[in-house]
Amino acid sequence: PAAARSGSWALPAALVRRGGLVGGQWLETPAAFPVQDPASGEELGRVADCGAAEARAAVRAAHEAGAAWGRLPAKERSVRLRRWYELMMENKEELARIITAENGKPLKEAQGEILYSASFLEWFAEEARRVYGDIIPASAKDRRMLVLKQPVGVAAIITPWNFPSAMITRKVGAALAAGCTVVVKPAEDTPLSALALGELANQAGIPGGVYNVVPCSRQQTQAVGEVLCTDPLVAKISFTGSTATGKILLKHAAGTVKRVSMELGGHAPFIVFDSANVDRAVAGALASKYRNSGQTCVCTNRFLVQKKIHDQFVEKFAKAIERELRVGSGFDAETTQGPLINEKAVEKVERHIHDAISQGASVVTGGKRHSLGKNFFEPTLLSNVTTKMLCTQEETFGPLAPVIKFETEAEAIAIANAANVGLAGYFYSQDPSQIWRVAEQLEVGMVGVNEGIISSVEGPFGGIKESGLGREGSKYGIDEYLEIKYICFGGL
Protein backbone atom coordinates (compact mmCIF):
# COMPACT_ATOMS: atom_id res chain seq x y z
CA PRO A 1 0.00 0.00 0.00
CA ALA A 2 1.02 3.57 -0.57
CA ALA A 3 2.45 5.41 2.41
CA ALA A 4 -0.03 7.36 4.48
CA ARG A 5 0.91 10.79 5.77
CA SER A 6 0.48 12.66 9.03
CA GLY A 7 1.41 16.29 8.73
CA SER A 8 4.94 16.34 7.38
CA TRP A 9 5.61 12.75 8.42
CA ALA A 10 5.22 9.94 5.90
CA LEU A 11 4.22 6.67 7.51
CA PRO A 12 6.31 3.65 6.46
CA ALA A 13 4.69 1.99 3.46
CA ALA A 14 6.31 -1.34 4.31
CA LEU A 15 4.47 -1.53 7.63
CA VAL A 16 1.15 0.19 6.90
CA ARG A 17 -1.47 -2.50 6.22
CA ARG A 18 -5.15 -1.92 5.52
CA GLY A 19 -6.60 -5.44 5.51
CA GLY A 20 -7.38 -7.85 8.29
CA LEU A 21 -4.88 -10.65 8.93
CA VAL A 22 -6.47 -14.11 8.89
CA GLY A 23 -4.52 -17.33 8.52
CA GLY A 24 -1.37 -15.45 7.51
CA GLN A 25 -3.14 -13.70 4.61
CA TRP A 26 -4.19 -10.08 4.28
CA LEU A 27 -7.98 -9.94 4.02
CA GLU A 28 -9.92 -7.16 2.31
CA THR A 29 -13.57 -6.49 3.14
CA PRO A 30 -16.37 -4.78 1.17
CA ALA A 31 -16.44 -1.92 3.68
CA ALA A 32 -13.63 0.07 5.26
CA PHE A 33 -13.48 2.62 8.07
CA PRO A 34 -11.27 5.70 8.45
CA VAL A 35 -8.34 6.03 10.85
CA GLN A 36 -7.68 9.63 11.84
CA ASP A 37 -4.82 11.63 13.30
CA PRO A 38 -6.30 13.04 16.55
CA ALA A 39 -3.99 16.06 16.36
CA SER A 40 -5.11 17.33 12.95
CA GLY A 41 -8.23 15.31 12.17
CA GLU A 42 -6.50 14.21 8.96
CA GLU A 43 -7.48 10.80 7.61
CA LEU A 44 -4.48 8.47 7.69
CA GLY A 45 -6.19 5.84 5.59
CA ARG A 46 -9.06 3.38 5.56
CA VAL A 47 -8.85 -0.07 7.11
CA ALA A 48 -10.89 -3.22 6.44
CA ASP A 49 -14.09 -3.20 8.48
CA CYS A 50 -14.29 -6.79 9.64
CA GLY A 51 -17.58 -8.20 10.89
CA ALA A 52 -18.88 -11.37 12.47
CA ALA A 53 -18.01 -13.50 9.41
CA GLU A 54 -14.38 -12.38 9.39
CA ALA A 55 -14.14 -12.86 13.16
CA ARG A 56 -15.42 -16.43 12.86
CA ALA A 57 -12.94 -17.09 10.02
CA ALA A 58 -10.11 -15.79 12.19
CA VAL A 59 -11.17 -18.01 15.09
CA ARG A 60 -11.21 -21.06 12.78
CA ALA A 61 -7.78 -20.15 11.39
CA ALA A 62 -6.41 -19.84 14.92
CA HIS A 63 -7.98 -23.15 15.93
CA GLU A 64 -6.56 -24.95 12.90
CA ALA A 65 -3.09 -23.54 13.54
CA GLY A 66 -3.22 -24.30 17.24
CA ALA A 67 -2.37 -28.00 17.24
CA ALA A 68 0.87 -27.58 15.29
CA TRP A 69 1.95 -24.46 17.18
CA GLY A 70 1.23 -26.03 20.56
CA ARG A 71 3.22 -29.16 19.65
CA LEU A 72 6.31 -27.20 18.59
CA PRO A 73 9.15 -27.59 21.06
CA ALA A 74 9.25 -24.60 23.39
CA LYS A 75 12.68 -23.70 22.03
CA GLU A 76 11.25 -23.28 18.52
CA ARG A 77 8.45 -21.02 19.74
CA SER A 78 11.09 -19.09 21.66
CA VAL A 79 13.21 -18.60 18.53
CA ARG A 80 10.24 -17.24 16.53
CA LEU A 81 9.23 -14.86 19.31
CA ARG A 82 12.82 -13.69 19.62
CA ARG A 83 12.94 -12.99 15.89
CA TRP A 84 9.71 -11.01 16.15
CA TYR A 85 11.30 -8.97 18.95
CA GLU A 86 14.38 -8.33 16.83
CA LEU A 87 12.25 -7.11 13.91
CA MET A 88 10.43 -4.72 16.22
CA MET A 89 13.75 -3.31 17.35
CA GLU A 90 14.97 -3.00 13.75
CA ASN A 91 11.77 -1.09 12.88
CA LYS A 92 11.30 0.79 16.15
CA GLU A 93 11.32 4.27 14.62
CA GLU A 94 8.75 3.34 11.98
CA LEU A 95 6.50 1.64 14.54
CA ALA A 96 6.71 4.69 16.81
CA ARG A 97 5.65 6.99 13.98
CA ILE A 98 2.57 4.85 13.40
CA ILE A 99 1.63 5.15 17.09
CA THR A 100 2.05 8.93 17.13
CA ALA A 101 0.04 9.30 13.93
CA GLU A 102 -2.99 7.29 15.06
CA ASN A 103 -2.82 7.86 18.83
CA GLY A 104 -1.36 11.36 19.08
CA LYS A 105 1.13 10.78 21.89
CA PRO A 106 4.51 12.54 21.61
CA LEU A 107 7.00 10.69 19.45
CA LYS A 108 9.39 10.27 22.38
CA GLU A 109 6.63 8.51 24.34
CA ALA A 110 5.76 6.39 21.30
CA GLN A 111 9.41 5.36 21.00
CA GLY A 112 9.35 4.39 24.66
CA GLU A 113 6.20 2.36 24.10
CA ILE A 114 7.81 0.39 21.27
CA LEU A 115 10.77 -0.50 23.48
CA TYR A 116 8.35 -1.54 26.23
CA SER A 117 6.20 -3.42 23.74
CA ALA A 118 9.14 -5.32 22.24
CA SER A 119 10.40 -6.23 25.69
CA PHE A 120 7.37 -8.46 26.24
CA LEU A 121 8.23 -10.52 23.18
CA GLU A 122 11.81 -10.81 24.43
CA TRP A 123 10.67 -11.72 27.95
CA PHE A 124 8.15 -14.35 26.91
CA ALA A 125 10.55 -15.80 24.34
CA GLU A 126 12.64 -16.65 27.40
CA GLU A 127 9.67 -17.74 29.56
CA ALA A 128 8.49 -20.16 26.83
CA ARG A 129 11.28 -22.52 27.89
CA ARG A 130 10.45 -22.27 31.59
CA VAL A 131 6.96 -23.78 31.76
CA TYR A 132 7.59 -26.47 34.34
CA GLY A 133 5.36 -29.29 35.58
CA ASP A 134 5.62 -31.32 38.79
CA ILE A 135 6.01 -34.84 40.10
CA ILE A 136 3.91 -35.28 43.24
CA PRO A 137 4.76 -37.97 45.85
CA ALA A 138 1.97 -40.54 45.58
CA SER A 139 0.08 -42.07 48.50
CA ALA A 140 0.22 -45.57 46.97
CA LYS A 141 3.31 -47.60 45.97
CA ASP A 142 1.92 -48.56 42.56
CA ARG A 143 1.11 -45.00 41.43
CA ARG A 144 2.98 -42.02 40.07
CA MET A 145 1.37 -38.57 40.01
CA LEU A 146 2.37 -35.98 37.38
CA VAL A 147 1.29 -32.44 36.57
CA LEU A 148 1.65 -30.98 33.06
CA LYS A 149 0.96 -27.44 31.90
CA GLN A 150 -0.62 -27.19 28.45
CA PRO A 151 -1.91 -24.27 26.32
CA VAL A 152 -5.56 -23.37 26.86
CA GLY A 153 -6.17 -23.01 23.09
CA VAL A 154 -7.40 -20.06 21.04
CA ALA A 155 -7.21 -16.75 22.90
CA ALA A 156 -9.29 -13.69 21.95
CA ILE A 157 -7.26 -10.53 22.59
CA ILE A 158 -9.20 -7.25 22.85
CA THR A 159 -7.01 -4.18 23.27
CA PRO A 160 -7.40 -0.40 23.87
CA TRP A 161 -6.15 2.62 21.96
CA ASN A 162 -3.96 4.24 24.62
CA PHE A 163 -1.07 1.76 24.23
CA PRO A 164 -1.84 0.27 20.80
CA SER A 165 1.34 -1.81 20.61
CA ALA A 166 2.28 -2.69 24.20
CA MET A 167 -1.19 -3.88 25.17
CA ILE A 168 -0.98 -6.40 22.32
CA THR A 169 2.48 -7.82 22.95
CA ARG A 170 1.94 -8.06 26.72
CA LYS A 171 -0.91 -10.48 26.02
CA VAL A 172 0.18 -12.08 22.75
CA GLY A 173 3.76 -12.70 23.87
CA ALA A 174 2.53 -14.75 26.82
CA ALA A 175 -0.11 -16.57 24.76
CA LEU A 176 2.27 -17.62 21.98
CA ALA A 177 4.97 -18.61 24.44
CA ALA A 178 2.47 -20.92 26.14
CA GLY A 179 1.54 -22.50 22.80
CA CYS A 180 -1.77 -20.70 22.26
CA THR A 181 -2.90 -18.98 19.07
CA VAL A 182 -4.64 -15.61 19.08
CA VAL A 183 -7.25 -13.41 17.41
CA VAL A 184 -6.61 -9.73 18.12
CA LYS A 185 -9.36 -7.12 17.95
CA PRO A 186 -7.61 -3.74 18.23
CA ALA A 187 -9.39 -0.52 19.16
CA GLU A 188 -11.07 1.16 16.20
CA ASP A 189 -9.01 4.33 16.81
CA THR A 190 -5.63 2.58 16.50
CA PRO A 191 -5.68 -0.52 14.25
CA LEU A 192 -2.54 0.34 12.26
CA SER A 193 -0.19 -0.65 15.09
CA ALA A 194 -1.79 -4.10 15.41
CA LEU A 195 -1.56 -4.65 11.66
CA ALA A 196 2.07 -3.50 11.56
CA LEU A 197 2.85 -6.07 14.25
CA GLY A 198 1.13 -8.64 12.03
CA GLU A 199 3.39 -7.78 9.12
CA LEU A 200 6.44 -8.27 11.32
CA ALA A 201 5.01 -11.51 12.74
CA ASN A 202 4.78 -12.86 9.19
CA GLN A 203 8.35 -11.80 8.52
CA ALA A 204 9.48 -13.44 11.77
CA GLY A 205 8.15 -16.82 10.67
CA ILE A 206 5.17 -16.92 13.01
CA PRO A 207 3.00 -19.49 11.16
CA GLY A 208 -0.20 -18.38 9.47
CA GLY A 209 -3.16 -18.52 11.83
CA VAL A 210 -1.09 -18.12 15.00
CA TYR A 211 -1.48 -14.32 15.05
CA ASN A 212 -4.71 -13.01 13.50
CA VAL A 213 -6.06 -9.45 13.49
CA VAL A 214 -9.67 -8.39 12.88
CA PRO A 215 -9.90 -4.57 12.82
CA CYS A 216 -13.39 -3.15 12.85
CA SER A 217 -15.33 0.09 13.17
CA ARG A 218 -17.31 1.07 16.24
CA GLN A 219 -20.46 -0.07 14.43
CA GLN A 220 -19.07 -3.61 14.04
CA THR A 221 -17.46 -3.83 17.48
CA GLN A 222 -20.43 -5.43 19.22
CA ALA A 223 -20.84 -8.15 16.55
CA VAL A 224 -17.13 -8.98 16.48
CA GLY A 225 -16.90 -8.93 20.26
CA GLU A 226 -19.83 -11.33 20.61
CA VAL A 227 -18.20 -13.82 18.23
CA LEU A 228 -14.92 -13.70 20.13
CA CYS A 229 -16.65 -14.13 23.49
CA THR A 230 -19.18 -16.82 22.52
CA ASP A 231 -17.55 -18.98 19.83
CA PRO A 232 -16.92 -22.39 21.43
CA LEU A 233 -13.55 -22.62 19.66
CA VAL A 234 -12.29 -19.69 21.75
CA ALA A 235 -10.95 -20.92 25.08
CA LYS A 236 -9.68 -17.69 26.61
CA ILE A 237 -10.47 -13.97 26.56
CA SER A 238 -7.98 -11.27 27.52
CA PHE A 239 -9.36 -7.73 27.59
CA THR A 240 -8.01 -4.32 28.53
CA GLY A 241 -10.54 -1.49 28.68
CA SER A 242 -13.34 -0.03 30.73
CA THR A 243 -14.94 -1.79 33.67
CA ALA A 244 -18.38 -1.41 32.06
CA THR A 245 -17.30 -3.17 28.86
CA GLY A 246 -15.44 -5.82 30.85
CA LYS A 247 -18.65 -6.74 32.68
CA ILE A 248 -20.46 -7.20 29.36
CA LEU A 249 -17.70 -9.48 28.07
CA LEU A 250 -17.80 -11.50 31.28
CA LYS A 251 -21.50 -12.16 30.74
CA HIS A 252 -20.85 -13.33 27.18
CA ALA A 253 -17.97 -15.54 28.30
CA ALA A 254 -20.08 -17.24 30.94
CA GLY A 255 -22.14 -19.09 28.32
CA THR A 256 -19.21 -21.31 27.36
CA VAL A 257 -17.26 -20.91 30.63
CA LYS A 258 -14.18 -19.38 29.02
CA ARG A 259 -11.01 -18.52 30.87
CA VAL A 260 -10.93 -14.74 31.34
CA SER A 261 -8.32 -12.18 32.32
CA MET A 262 -9.14 -8.49 32.40
CA GLU A 263 -7.33 -5.25 33.08
CA LEU A 264 -10.09 -2.74 33.66
CA GLY A 265 -10.47 0.83 34.85
CA GLY A 266 -8.42 2.49 37.55
CA HIS A 267 -8.82 5.44 39.91
CA ALA A 268 -5.28 5.71 41.25
CA PRO A 269 -4.64 7.71 44.42
CA PHE A 270 -1.34 9.56 44.86
CA ILE A 271 -0.74 10.29 48.54
CA VAL A 272 1.91 12.76 49.74
CA PHE A 273 2.60 12.55 53.46
CA ASP A 274 4.21 15.25 55.60
CA SER A 275 7.48 13.29 55.73
CA ALA A 276 7.82 13.15 51.94
CA ASN A 277 10.55 14.76 49.90
CA VAL A 278 8.28 17.29 48.21
CA ASP A 279 10.50 17.87 45.19
CA ARG A 280 10.65 14.15 44.44
CA ALA A 281 6.90 13.88 44.99
CA VAL A 282 6.28 16.67 42.47
CA ALA A 283 8.51 14.98 39.90
CA GLY A 284 6.69 11.68 40.43
CA ALA A 285 3.32 13.39 40.24
CA LEU A 286 4.19 15.05 36.94
CA ALA A 287 5.26 11.73 35.40
CA SER A 288 2.37 9.72 36.82
CA LYS A 289 -0.38 12.18 35.91
CA TYR A 290 0.57 13.62 32.55
CA ARG A 291 2.13 10.69 30.68
CA ASN A 292 0.12 10.22 27.47
CA SER A 293 -1.84 13.35 28.49
CA GLY A 294 -3.34 11.45 31.42
CA GLN A 295 -4.71 8.70 29.20
CA THR A 296 -3.28 5.67 31.00
CA CYS A 297 -5.04 3.13 33.20
CA VAL A 298 -2.48 3.52 35.98
CA CYS A 299 -2.09 7.30 35.89
CA THR A 300 -2.98 9.20 39.03
CA ASN A 301 -6.59 10.33 39.15
CA ARG A 302 -6.69 12.00 42.58
CA PHE A 303 -3.95 13.56 44.69
CA LEU A 304 -4.16 13.44 48.47
CA VAL A 305 -1.70 15.80 50.19
CA GLN A 306 -1.25 16.11 53.96
CA LYS A 307 -2.14 19.44 55.50
CA LYS A 308 1.35 20.54 56.62
CA ILE A 309 2.91 20.40 53.14
CA HIS A 310 -0.24 20.89 51.03
CA ASP A 311 0.37 24.51 49.98
CA GLN A 312 4.04 23.88 49.24
CA PHE A 313 3.22 20.85 47.07
CA VAL A 314 0.51 22.66 45.10
CA GLU A 315 2.75 25.66 44.45
CA LYS A 316 5.67 23.53 43.26
CA PHE A 317 3.42 21.24 41.22
CA ALA A 318 1.89 24.21 39.40
CA LYS A 319 5.32 25.66 38.59
CA ALA A 320 6.52 22.28 37.30
CA ILE A 321 3.45 21.95 35.04
CA GLU A 322 3.96 25.40 33.58
CA ARG A 323 7.73 24.96 33.23
CA GLU A 324 8.01 21.43 31.87
CA LEU A 325 4.86 20.60 29.91
CA ARG A 326 4.36 21.65 26.29
CA VAL A 327 1.16 20.99 24.35
CA GLY A 328 1.48 20.27 20.65
CA SER A 329 1.59 17.77 17.83
CA GLY A 330 3.26 14.51 18.77
CA PHE A 331 5.69 14.97 15.88
CA ASP A 332 7.01 18.25 17.34
CA ALA A 333 10.22 17.47 19.25
CA GLU A 334 9.34 19.88 22.08
CA THR A 335 5.89 18.41 22.72
CA THR A 336 5.26 16.58 25.98
CA GLN A 337 1.45 16.69 25.80
CA GLY A 338 -0.26 15.52 22.64
CA PRO A 339 -3.98 15.63 21.86
CA LEU A 340 -6.60 13.56 23.60
CA ILE A 341 -7.87 10.69 21.50
CA ASN A 342 -11.11 12.44 20.46
CA GLU A 343 -13.50 15.24 21.34
CA LYS A 344 -15.58 13.01 23.59
CA ALA A 345 -12.53 12.59 25.83
CA VAL A 346 -12.08 16.37 25.96
CA GLU A 347 -15.73 16.84 26.90
CA LYS A 348 -15.31 14.49 29.86
CA VAL A 349 -12.37 16.53 31.19
CA GLU A 350 -14.42 19.70 30.82
CA ARG A 351 -17.37 18.12 32.62
CA HIS A 352 -15.19 17.13 35.57
CA ILE A 353 -13.64 20.60 35.82
CA HIS A 354 -16.97 22.42 35.62
CA ASP A 355 -18.47 20.14 38.28
CA ALA A 356 -15.51 20.73 40.61
CA ILE A 357 -15.58 24.51 40.17
CA SER A 358 -19.34 24.58 40.80
CA GLN A 359 -18.67 22.93 44.17
CA GLY A 360 -15.88 25.29 45.23
CA ALA A 361 -12.69 23.97 43.62
CA SER A 362 -10.09 26.45 42.35
CA VAL A 363 -8.14 26.30 39.08
CA VAL A 364 -4.45 26.72 39.89
CA THR A 365 -3.28 26.36 36.28
CA GLY A 366 -4.86 25.33 32.97
CA GLY A 367 -8.55 24.59 32.99
CA LYS A 368 -9.62 24.95 29.36
CA ARG A 369 -9.19 23.68 25.80
CA HIS A 370 -5.93 24.58 24.13
CA SER A 371 -5.90 26.91 21.15
CA LEU A 372 -4.20 24.27 18.95
CA GLY A 373 -7.43 22.43 18.21
CA LYS A 374 -10.53 20.67 19.49
CA ASN A 375 -8.71 17.59 20.87
CA PHE A 376 -6.05 19.54 22.79
CA PHE A 377 -6.51 20.45 26.44
CA GLU A 378 -4.34 22.42 28.84
CA PRO A 379 -2.66 20.44 31.64
CA THR A 380 -4.83 21.37 34.60
CA LEU A 381 -4.34 21.52 38.38
CA LEU A 382 -7.25 22.00 40.81
CA SER A 383 -7.08 22.75 44.54
CA ASN A 384 -9.78 22.93 47.24
CA VAL A 385 -11.11 19.63 45.93
CA THR A 386 -13.43 17.41 47.98
CA THR A 387 -14.45 13.77 47.72
CA LYS A 388 -17.95 14.82 46.64
CA MET A 389 -16.70 16.09 43.28
CA LEU A 390 -17.03 14.01 40.11
CA CYS A 391 -13.30 14.11 39.38
CA THR A 392 -12.60 12.22 42.63
CA GLN A 393 -15.40 9.70 42.11
CA GLU A 394 -14.68 8.46 38.58
CA GLU A 395 -11.72 8.14 36.24
CA THR A 396 -11.09 11.28 34.17
CA PHE A 397 -8.62 9.81 31.64
CA GLY A 398 -7.25 13.21 30.78
CA PRO A 399 -4.77 15.89 31.92
CA LEU A 400 -6.59 16.89 35.12
CA ALA A 401 -4.93 16.77 38.56
CA PRO A 402 -7.33 17.39 41.50
CA VAL A 403 -5.72 17.87 44.94
CA ILE A 404 -7.48 16.93 48.19
CA LYS A 405 -6.10 18.09 51.54
CA PHE A 406 -6.09 15.54 54.39
CA GLU A 407 -4.94 15.50 58.01
CA THR A 408 -4.24 11.93 59.14
CA GLU A 409 -2.85 8.74 57.64
CA ALA A 410 -6.06 6.88 58.45
CA GLU A 411 -8.09 9.53 56.62
CA ALA A 412 -5.92 9.24 53.50
CA ILE A 413 -6.18 5.45 53.42
CA ALA A 414 -9.95 5.61 53.87
CA ILE A 415 -10.32 8.03 50.95
CA ALA A 416 -7.97 6.00 48.75
CA ASN A 417 -9.79 2.73 49.46
CA ALA A 418 -13.31 4.10 49.04
CA ALA A 419 -13.27 3.36 45.29
CA ASN A 420 -14.78 0.16 43.89
CA VAL A 421 -11.69 -0.27 41.69
CA GLY A 422 -8.08 -0.92 42.67
CA LEU A 423 -5.50 -0.99 39.91
CA ALA A 424 -2.55 1.18 41.01
CA GLY A 425 -1.77 3.48 43.91
CA TYR A 426 1.16 5.73 44.76
CA PHE A 427 2.45 7.42 47.90
CA TYR A 428 5.47 9.40 49.03
CA SER A 429 6.88 9.06 52.54
CA GLN A 430 10.28 8.80 54.21
CA ASP A 431 8.95 7.07 57.33
CA PRO A 432 9.84 3.33 57.04
CA SER A 433 7.09 2.16 59.39
CA GLN A 434 4.52 4.27 57.56
CA ILE A 435 5.69 2.90 54.22
CA TRP A 436 5.01 -0.68 55.34
CA ARG A 437 1.63 0.21 56.86
CA VAL A 438 0.33 2.11 53.86
CA ALA A 439 1.71 -0.26 51.21
CA GLU A 440 -0.05 -3.19 52.89
CA GLN A 441 -3.33 -1.35 53.48
CA LEU A 442 -3.85 0.23 50.05
CA GLU A 443 -6.48 -1.82 48.19
CA VAL A 444 -4.78 -1.94 44.80
CA GLY A 445 -2.90 -4.53 42.77
CA MET A 446 0.21 -2.37 42.29
CA VAL A 447 1.84 0.16 44.63
CA GLY A 448 4.44 2.77 43.79
CA VAL A 449 6.40 3.87 46.88
CA ASN A 450 8.31 7.08 46.15
CA GLU A 451 7.91 6.23 42.44
CA GLY A 452 5.46 7.64 39.91
CA ILE A 453 6.14 5.14 37.09
CA ILE A 454 5.97 1.45 38.02
CA SER A 455 5.27 -0.50 34.80
CA SER A 456 7.97 -3.03 33.92
CA VAL A 457 8.08 -6.28 31.99
CA GLU A 458 9.40 -8.04 35.10
CA GLY A 459 6.54 -6.87 37.36
CA PRO A 460 3.06 -8.45 37.48
CA PHE A 461 0.52 -5.96 36.08
CA GLY A 462 -3.09 -6.11 37.25
CA GLY A 463 -5.65 -4.97 39.76
CA ILE A 464 -8.14 -6.05 42.40
CA LYS A 465 -11.83 -5.31 43.06
CA GLU A 466 -13.48 -4.08 39.83
CA SER A 467 -10.13 -3.32 38.21
CA GLY A 468 -9.91 -6.80 36.82
CA LEU A 469 -8.86 -10.43 36.97
CA GLY A 470 -5.44 -12.01 36.48
CA ARG A 471 -1.95 -10.61 35.89
CA GLU A 472 0.08 -9.69 32.81
CA GLY A 473 3.81 -9.58 32.26
CA SER A 474 6.33 -11.07 34.72
CA LYS A 475 6.76 -14.78 35.37
CA TYR A 476 3.06 -14.92 36.32
CA GLY A 477 1.75 -13.68 32.98
CA ILE A 478 2.21 -16.94 31.09
CA ASP A 479 0.10 -18.83 33.64
CA GLU A 480 -2.99 -17.04 32.30
CA TYR A 481 -2.66 -19.09 29.08
CA LEU A 482 -1.92 -22.50 30.59
CA GLU A 483 -4.13 -25.31 31.88
CA ILE A 484 -2.91 -27.66 34.62
CA LYS A 485 -3.37 -31.33 33.76
CA TYR A 486 -3.02 -33.98 36.44
CA ILE A 487 -1.93 -37.47 35.29
CA CYS A 488 -2.11 -40.51 37.55
CA PHE A 489 -0.13 -43.59 36.42
CA GLY A 490 -1.42 -46.72 38.13
CA GLY A 491 -0.54 -50.41 38.19
CA LEU A 492 3.20 -49.85 38.43
Side-chain angles (χ1 to χ4, degrees):
R5 294 190 65 84
S6 176
S8 60
W9 288 82
L11 295 183
L15 293 181
V16 174
R17 290 289 175 265
R18 304 181 187 278
L21 180 59
V22 177
Q25 302 298 315
W26 295 106
L27 176 70
E28 299 299 330
T29 56
F33 67 98
V35 180
Q36 295 178 322
D37 174 359
S40 65
E42 177 185 353
E43 185 175 304
L44 301 172
R46 301 180 75 83
V47 170
D49 194 3
C50 295
E54 289 79 16
R56 283 191 291 269
V59 169
R60 287 194 300 273
H63 178 71
E64 291 167 2
W69 179 251
R71 284 196 302 265
L72 275 181
K75 182 178 180 180
E76 290 191 33
R77 293 198 299 272
S78 175
V79 167
R80 311 264 180 115
L81 283 169
R82 178 76 191 188
R83 181 55 185 150
W84 197 4
Y85 156 76
E86 291 169 349
L87 286 169
M88 283 194 70
M89 296 302 291
E90 290 169 14
N91 292 274
K92 61 180 185 278
E93 295 301 324
E94 291 81 0
L95 292 169
R97 282 159 52 196
I98 291 174
I99 289 178
T100 294
E102 64 178 352
N103 169 281
K105 68 176 60 176
L107 187 59
K108 185 176 180 180
E109 283 193 29
Q111 291 165 340
E113 179 181 343
I114 291 302
L115 296 179
Y116 182 54
S117 176
S119 73
F120 286 106
L121 297 182
E122 179 186 37
W123 175 266
F124 285 114
E126 296 163 354
E127 289 297 297
R129 302 180 68 183
R130 295 176 176 83
V131 176
Y132 299 114
D134 284 298
I135 297 178
I136 301 171
S139 57
K141 292 181 180 179
D142 63 345
R143 291 184 179 183
R144 297 296 183 269
M145 301 168 65
L146 311 176
V147 170
L148 303 179
K149 292 183 179 179
Q150 295 180 316
V152 298
V154 177
I157 307 295
I158 304 174
T159 58
W161 50 263
N162 58 338
F163 287 89
S165 182
M167 294 304 94
I168 292 175
T169 58
R170 193 162 72 188
K171 301 172 188 292
V172 170
L176 269 57
C180 297
T181 55
V182 300
V183 178
V184 177
K185 193 213 85 65
E188 62 271 12
D189 296 298
T190 56
L192 297 176
S193 291
L195 297 171
L197 288 175
E199 170 61 28
L200 294 181
N202 285 350
Q203 293 180 25
I206 303 295
V210 173
Y211 177 85
N212 304 275
V213 186
V214 285
C216 66
S217 64
R218 188 177 299 274
Q219 290 73 26
Q220 293 280 17
T221 292
Q222 182 176 348
V224 170
E226 285 189 15
V227 168
L228 298 182
C229 292
T230 61
D231 193 309
L233 295 180
V234 175
K236 156 84 181 185
I237 300 167
S238 180
F239 169 72
T240 296
S242 72
T243 298
T245 301
K247 290 178 179 180
I248 294 171
L249 299 183
L250 279 170
K251 290 179 181 178
H252 285 310
T256 47
V257 196
K258 299 188 189 305
R259 286 274 297 274
V260 176
S261 58
M262 295 198 168
E263 190 259 288
L264 306 177
H267 190 35
F270 188 110
I271 307 170
V272 187
F273 291 102
D274 283 342
S275 69
N277 179 315
V278 175
D279 291 331
R280 289 190 62 181
V282 166
L286 200 71
S288 176
K289 174 69 257 185
Y290 294 107
R291 184 167 61 113
N292 199 18
S293 299
Q295 300 174 114
T296 80
C297 298
V298 293
C299 79
T300 299
N301 205 63
R302 51 210 166 117
F303 290 87
L304 287 68
V305 184
Q306 202 157 10
K307 184 177 181 180
K308 181 180 176 181
I309 61 166
H310 172 274
D311 292 351
Q312 181 187 3
F313 176 85
V314 170
E315 180 182 355
K316 288 190 173 185
F317 196 12
K319 288 180 179 177
I321 291 169
E322 293 166 357
R323 180 179 66 249
E324 298 186 28
L325 301 185
R326 296 289 181 274
V327 178
S329 164
F331 288 109
D332 185 333
E334 295 185 357
T335 293
T336 65
Q337 302 289 285
L340 274 67
I341 191 64
N342 52 41
E343 192 168 14
K344 185 178 179 181
V346 174
E347 290 170 355
K348 185 175 185 181
V349 177
E350 286 182 323
R351 185 167 68 253
H352 281 192
I353 292 173
H354 294 159
D355 170 80
I357 292 173
S358 72
Q359 296 187 61
S362 303
V363 176
V364 181
T365 187
K368 62 184 184 298
R369 297 193 188 207
H370 197 278
S371 59
L372 279 175
K374 65 179 182 179
N375 291 342
F376 291 91
F377 203 91
E378 296 177 344
T380 300
L381 176 63
L382 299 180
S383 64
N384 300 319
V385 174
T386 71
T387 57
K388 295 181 179 180
M389 297 173 184
L390 202 57
C391 60
T392 65
Q393 295 175 359
E394 63 181 38
E395 192 175 25
T396 303
F397 229 63
L400 169 61
V403 180
I404 302 168
K405 184 188 298 184
F406 72 90
E407 295 192 5
T408 68
E409 178 184 306
E411 179 188 359
I413 292 172
I415 294 172
N417 290 344
N420 63 354
V421 293
L423 188 57
Y426 310 86
F427 69 92
Y428 276 69
S429 170
Q430 296 186 95
D431 179 344
S433 59
Q434 182 179 60
I435 287 172
W436 280 112
R437 287 194 308 270
V438 175
E440 292 176 352
Q441 291 180 61
L442 281 179
E443 295 174 356
V444 296
M446 299 173 285
V447 180
V449 183
N450 296 323
E451 289 289 344
I453 301 293
I454 59 175
S455 297
S456 169
V457 67
E458 297 86 359
F461 192 101
I464 62 174
K465 300 198 278 192
E466 292 189 17
S467 280
L469 303 165
R471 293 296 182 269
E472 295 182 340
S474 80
K475 69 175 184 177
Y476 304 104
I478 199 168
D479 291 340
E480 300 290 335
Y481 298 90
L482 293 166
E483 294 281 16
I484 293 176
K485 178 181 283 184
Y486 159 51
I487 301 173
C488 179
F489 277 89
L492 301 177

